[in-house]
Amino acid sequence: MNRKKISIIGVPSDYGQQRRGVDMGPSAMRYAGAIERLEKLGYDVVDEGNVSVRKLEKSKQNDHKLLNLEEVLDVSEQLAKKVDEVIEQGRFPVILGGDHSISIGSIAGIRKHYQNLGVIWFDAHTDINTPETTPSGNIHGMPLAINLGLGDERLINIAKGAPFLKFENVVIIGARSIDEGERELIKNKKIKIFTMHEIDRMGMSKVIEETVAYLKARQVDGVHISIDLDALDPIYTPGVGTPVPGGITYRESHLAMEMLEEAKIITSCEFVEVNPILDERNKTADTAVALMGSLLGEKLV
C-alpha cells in the first residue's frame, strides 16, 4: 500500500448508540481541516465522501436486544465494500465516524486484505460485548467482539471468507470502563490490554514500545488503529457520547501517535465518536485532526 495516497471515508452513522449528534462527526472533522492538514504533509488525499446512511426516527430493538441491527448491518456492509475498494486501489484508508459501531464494517473490509491483521484499540472502553453480555443493547459496545468472530451471525459474516481477528493480535490502550462480561472475556482469551493503571505506572512511551514489540513478535502483516476520542480525558475531548474521567492526556495521546508513526506499522486508521452537539467550539474534532496529523507524520520541528 502506498501511504502517500490517502482516501478519506466518512460514515455519518449514530445507530450504534442512543445519543444523537455523532452522525455529524465526519463533517466536524472535515471542518476542522482534516483534508488540508494531510495535504500539507505531502499526501495525495482523495475525499471519497460519505457512506449512505438512511434516517431512522427512533431506535429499534430486535429479538436479541440489539438496537438498530438492520441499520447497523446496512452501514457496515456499505463501509466494508468501500474500504475494500480503497485498499484494492493501493490507497491508505482514513475513516471518519460516526459511533464506534462503524468499526464492524471498516475492519471487515480491511480483513479481506490481510491474513494476520493486528489491531490497536485506543479507547476508554473495550467494546468487546456480545448479545449475551451487553447491558445496553448498544452495538457500539460490540465491534471488536464482532471482528473477533463473536456475536450476531449477520454482523460477523459481513466479510465473507476473510479471516477473523486473532485474540492475540489485539492491543487495547486506555481502557477504564469495562463491563463484567468483557472483563471475563479479556481474561479468558488473554487479550493484551493497557488500562489507565498501566499507563499511569509505566508511562505512555513504554506502553507504545511494548505494543509495537508485541505486534511485531506476532508477525502481523498490517495494523489497523481504531481511535475513539473518549480514550482521552473529557477535559480534552468533551464532545463524546460516553465520557469517562481519568483518561489519557492530550500530550500522551500525541506521543502515542508520534511513536506509532515512527514504528511504520500502521496500515489503516479511523477516528470515531466525535459528537459536535456535545462539543465545545469543535474542540473534540480539532483534537481528532491534530492526532491524525501526528499519526501520519506531523512533527513539532
Side-chain angles (χ1 to χ4, degrees):
M1 181 184 298
N2 185 351
R3 280 194 61 185
K4 280 296 176 184
K5 294 182 177 180
I6 287 177
S7 279
I8 302 283
I9 305 169
V11 195
S13 174
D14 59 2
Y15 291 134
Q17 46 80 68
Q18 298 175 66
R19 298 193 75 169
R20 303 284 72 89
V22 72
D23 57 319
M24 296 186 284
S27 294
M29 284 182 271
R30 287 185 175 103
Y31 181 77
I35 294 168
E36 294 82 0
R37 197 155 190 154
L38 297 180
E39 287 178 336
K40 191 175 179 181
L41 292 172
Y43 289 103
D44 169 18
V45 182
V46 172
D47 188 348
E48 306 280 351
N50 290 340
V51 168
S52 177
V53 180
R54 61 177 182 239
K55 293 301 176 185
L56 181 68
E57 292 303 316
K58 57 184 294 188
S59 295
K60 299 184 299 184
Q61 194 172 52
N62 78 340
D63 293 340
H64 300 288
K65 71 177 182 181
L66 301 184
L67 290 168
N68 306 326
L69 174 60
E70 294 291 338
E71 288 71 26
V72 170
L73 182 64
D74 178 55
V75 170
S76 299
E77 288 175 337
Q78 288 188 65
L79 179 56
K81 181 180 179 182
K82 188 62 183 179
V83 170
D84 180 21
E85 291 172 355
V86 161
I87 297 176
E88 195 68 41
Q89 294 165 10
R91 304 187 70 87
F92 181 99
V94 176
I95 303 144
L96 311 179
D99 70 65
H100 219 155
S101 69
I102 73 159
S103 294
I104 298 167
S106 60
I107 298 177
I110 293 163
R111 284 194 281 117
K112 293 183 178 183
H113 296 268
Y114 298 92
Q115 291 301 308
N116 197 36
L117 181 67
V119 167
I120 298 173
W121 203 259
F122 202 79
D123 199 330
H125 311 85
T126 58
D127 295 342
I128 202 165
N129 267 307
T130 65
E132 292 72 37
T133 65
T134 176
S136 66
N138 292 332
I139 299 178
H140 77 158
M142 306 179 190
L144 185 52
I146 289 164
N147 278 290
L148 287 161
L150 306 174
D152 181 85
E153 283 295 320
R154 294 171 67 186
L155 290 172
I156 67 174
N157 286 318
I158 288 171
K160 295 179 178 64
F164 290 117
L165 296 178
K166 299 174 183 176
F167 291 95
E168 62 268 26
N169 285 0
V170 172
V171 181
I172 299 169
I173 299 175
R176 54 195 185 276
S177 177
I178 307 173
D179 294 325
E180 186 56 39
E182 295 178 303
R183 189 176 294 112
E184 290 303 313
L185 183 60
I186 289 166
K187 287 180 179 177
N188 291 340
K189 296 298 184 180
K190 297 181 172 60
I191 296 173
K192 187 73 168 175
I193 182 169
F194 296 98
T195 68
M196 287 308 303
H197 173 82
E198 282 77 38
I199 293 173
D200 289 341
R201 290 191 67 172
M202 299 167 58
M204 184 60 83
S205 178
K206 184 65 173 174
V207 166
I208 299 301
E209 286 174 359
E210 290 197 7
T211 295
V212 171
Y214 176 85
L215 291 173
K216 284 184 174 180
R218 272 135 196 86
Q219 298 183 318
V220 295
D221 52 357
V223 178
H224 174 71
I225 182 165
S226 187
I227 300 167
D228 187 322
L229 273 295
D230 70 22
L232 280 71
D233 192 273
I235 65 172
Y236 307 106
T237 54
V240 296
T242 50
V244 185
I248 297 169
T249 69
Y250 185 84
R251 189 54 237 160
E252 284 173 330
S253 63
H254 274 283
L255 176 61
M257 299 302 113
E258 290 159 355
M259 291 182 68
L260 289 170
E261 157 60 19
E262 290 170 2
K264 304 298 182 189
I265 63 171
I266 302 300
T267 51
S268 54
C269 65
E270 64 191 348
F271 294 80
V272 304
E273 298 285 357
V274 173
N275 188 328
I277 289 178
L278 304 174
D279 210 1
E280 300 168 2
R281 299 190 301 277
N282 220 31
K283 182 177 181 179
T284 305
D286 287 337
T287 299
V289 171
L291 293 178
M292 198 181 300
S294 290
L295 181 66
L296 291 167
E298 194 171 272
K299 305 291 185 186
L300 290 172
V301 292

